[in-house]
Amino acid sequence: RVSYHNAYDTRVSLMPEAHITFPLILLLGGPNSIQNNGEDPLLLPYLQLVKNALAVRSSKIIGICLGGQIISR
């Protein structure tokens, strides 16, 4: 099962339980940067998702570009 969430589409909200629902989370890139916008409200749900996923040892997370920055935060 695949679910795609565009962080820049204000009509879509992140699934808070995604780390339990999906065996793999893939965070891709975007125009933002953690360095410049670490407290950007747009990024906060994704930072929390990674934190939740890391608490569940069976979760797998891959980050590319901004996604990697979010994971490393």
Side-chain angles (χ1 to χ4, degrees):
R1 190 170 106 177
V2 175
S3 178
Y4 172 78
H5 297 268
N6 181 344
Y8 301 98
D9 184 344
T10 56
R11 298 170 296 166
V12 177
S13 62
L14 185 64
M15 292 173 56
E17 72 285 350
H19 65 290
I20 297 170
T21 305
F22 300 101
L24 172 69
I25 297 170
L26 175 62
L27 299 172
L28 300 175
N32 294 34
S33 169
I34 289 293
Q35 296 294 333
N36 301 333
N37 300 309
E39 298 302 318
D40 184 341
L42 178 75
L43 298 178
L44 293 178
Y46 296 92
L47 292 166
Q48 187 62 48
L49 172 64
V50 168
K51 185 177 181 179
N52 293 344
L54 291 174
V56 178
R57 294 177 94 44
S58 61
S59 291
K60 295 173 185 70
I61 310 169
I62 298 173
I64 298 171
C65 197
L66 178 59
Q69 293 177 41
I70 291 170
I71 293 169
S72 69
R73 181 70 172 219

